[in-house]
Amino acid sequence: MSNNSNKINVPEARAAMDKFKMEAAAEVGVNLKEGYNGDLTSRQAGSVGGQMVKKMTPERTSSFSREARTVIGHQNIVTYETNLIG
């Protein structure tokens, strides 16, 4: 008995998800075909999934410079990155 939890809750969204997957695959250089893609390596499949997650959870970056606390006249660049999960 299969226990697959990767079900699309809204059946009408399947076409949009397939298109999204194809776009993500093209961005990372993986050649997907319609239907079954069992010939992909784990690395290729993971890179497609990782690209999809990266696009679904955009990073927000903020950067500014401030005076160095240890050396007079020097500046440090401070960068904060956050993921928005909502």
Side-chain angles (χ1 to χ4, degrees), residues 21 24-26 28-33 37-52:
K21 183 174 21 175
V28 294
V30 174
N31 187 18
L32 283 185
K33 56 188 176 291
N37 284 285
D39 57 333
L40 293 180
T41 65
S42 297
R43 183 181 193 124
Q44 289 171 319
S47 66
V48 172
Q51 184 68 9
M52 291 174 72

Side-chain angles (χ1 to χ4, degrees), residues 4-72:
N4 186 356
S5 64
N6 290 333
K7 294 180 180 155
I8 294 179
N9 293 329
V10 181
E12 297 81 20
R14 179 166 303 284
M17 286 301 293
D18 288 341
K19 181 180 176 194
F20 181 47
K21 183 174 21 175
M22 291 296 200
E23 290 171 1
E27 289 173 5
V28 294
V30 174
N31 187 18
L32 283 185
K33 56 188 176 291
E34 294 293 328
Y36 182 67
N37 284 285
D39 57 333
L40 293 180
T41 65
S42 297
R43 183 181 193 124
Q44 289 171 319
S47 66
V48 172
Q51 184 68 9
M52 291 174 72
V53 169
K54 188 188 297 186
K55 291 190 140 304
M56 286 188 278
T57 56
E59 289 185 5
R60 300 292 184 235
T61 303
S62 173
S63 181
F64 61 92
S65 64
R66 64 171 169 79
E67 294 297 321
R69 296 181 182 163
T70 56
V71 181
I72 297 173

